Amino acid sequence: QSNETNTTMTTITLKTIIFLGSARNITPPWGGDSRLGDRVIKWVKSVMESRKESLGADTIAHDFRIIDPIEVFGPNGALSYSGGELSKPTFFMDQSTLPAAAKELQEAIKEADCYLVVSPEYNHTIPPALSSVMGHFGGSNYKCKPSGIITYSPGVFGGIRAAMAIQVMLHELGCLPVSKLCGVGNVSEVLNEDGKPIDPNNRLLKQLPELLTQLEWMAVAMANQRKLSGTF
C-alpha cells in the first residue's frame, strides 16, 4: 500500500494480485472461445484501470498484477519446476533452492494488499489450475488480507457454485473473501472478445464495482492494522 499526497487529495494505491482460474487452451468441438475467461479478465482489467473511488478523504487506485496459470506453468514459467500437479510446494522447499521466478512470485503475493480470483467452475467446483497456483504458497503469504471472487460461465449460473468452494479455500489461506460476489453468466452475450460490454447497462456489470468497494474498504482497514500490530 502506498500513499501519494498533495494539497487537495490523498491517493492510496493498493497492490492487488488477480488470479485467473482457468488454464484451458482448447476450442471445444461445438465451437466458442478457447478460454472464455479471457473476455472476463479483459473486462476486469479495464474496470480496474479506470477505477478511482473515494474512501473517506482518500482516493483508491490499484496497482494490479494478473497471475495466469497458462503462463506460470508454461515453459520457463514461475512454477514450471513444479507443474500444475503441485509436486514441489514452496513451503516444503529450502528457500535457498527456490527458483528465482518462483521466489519473485511468492514475494509479490506476500506483499499484496488484496486479491481477486477470476474463475470458471469445473465439475461445479474449483478448477485445478486455480487451487494449484494458490496452493503452491503457504497461508502466511495471504493472511490478514481480503479477497474478492469473480466467477463466470457460458450458461446462466455464472459459475456461482465454484464461488462457494473458492470461499472456503480463501478462508483457509487467510485472505478472507468479502461478502459481495460477482457472477457473470452467458459471458459471450455480455462481453465481446475484447472484454467490452455489449450492453453497458447490463445489470450483471454492476456487481464488480460493488465488490471492489467492499474489497477496498477491507484492504485499507487490514493494511492499517498490519502496520499497527503486525499479523498474528
Side-chain angles (χ1 to χ4, degrees):
Q1 180 187 7
S2 64
N3 294 72
E4 299 175 4
T5 306
N6 58 32
T7 57
T8 59
M9 57 184 286
T10 299
T11 297
I12 298 175
T13 301
L14 299 172
K15 294 181 180 179
T16 306
I17 295 288
I18 305 175
F19 291 98
L20 184 54
S22 172
R24 182 162 71 87
N25 190 23
I26 184 173
T27 301
W30 51 87
D33 299 23
S34 60
R35 183 169 64 171
L36 195 59
D38 289 342
R39 299 188 188 215
V40 182
I41 197 67
K42 289 174 184 176
W43 168 61
V44 172
K45 181 180 178 181
S46 175
V47 172
M48 298 283 282
E49 287 175 338
S50 62
R51 184 174 173 83
K52 284 191 180 294
E53 294 296 313
S54 297
L55 181 62
D58 301 319
T59 297
I60 305 297
H62 292 266
D63 178 11
F64 65 87
R65 174 175 174 178
I66 298 170
I67 308 301
D68 185 338
I70 290 179
E71 296 176 0
V72 297
F73 291 128
N76 302 314
L79 301 177
S80 59
Y81 76 94
S82 175
E85 66 273 24
L86 220 172
S87 64
K88 297 180 179 68
T90 59
F91 46 87
F92 276 97
M93 296 180 65
D94 182 334
Q95 293 298 293
S96 66
T97 67
L98 197 63
K103 182 68 174 177
E104 186 277 330
L105 179 56
Q106 178 175 259
E107 288 300 316
I109 291 171
K110 189 169 186 176
E111 292 174 4
D113 295 301
C114 56
Y115 309 96
L116 282 171
V117 171
V118 179
S119 180
E121 62 178 40
Y122 285 2
N123 296 318
H124 304 162
T125 191
I126 305 171
L130 174 61
S131 57
S132 180
V133 170
M134 298 193 74
H136 265 87
F137 307 97
S140 61
N141 297 284
Y142 299 97
K143 69 180 182 181
C144 301
K145 303 167 194 175
S147 58
I149 302 170
I150 303 160
T151 56
Y152 62 89
S153 73
V156 297
F157 294 110
I160 207 69
R161 289 170 291 195
M164 300 299 101
I166 293 169
Q167 280 184 327
V168 176
M169 181 179 74
L170 297 178
H171 271 289
E172 293 306 313
L173 287 172
C175 49
L176 305 182
V178 298
S179 62
K180 182 66 180 181
L181 297 172
C182 176
V184 183
N186 298 316
V187 170
S188 61
E189 298 176 14
V190 177
L191 303 170
N192 66 20
E193 292 183 356
D194 295 325
K196 295 179 180 178
I198 294 171
D199 175 7
N201 295 316
N202 190 311
R203 62 184 179 83
L204 295 177
L205 304 175
K206 298 177 181 179
Q207 300 172 96
L208 181 54
E210 294 172 357
L211 183 156
L212 290 173
T213 294
Q214 291 189 7
L215 184 73
E216 291 157 359
W217 194 100
M218 293 296 293
V220 171
M222 296 173 89
N224 288 339
Q225 188 62 34
R226 290 197 305 274
K227 287 181 180 179
L228 182 65
S229 63
T231 62
F232 43 73

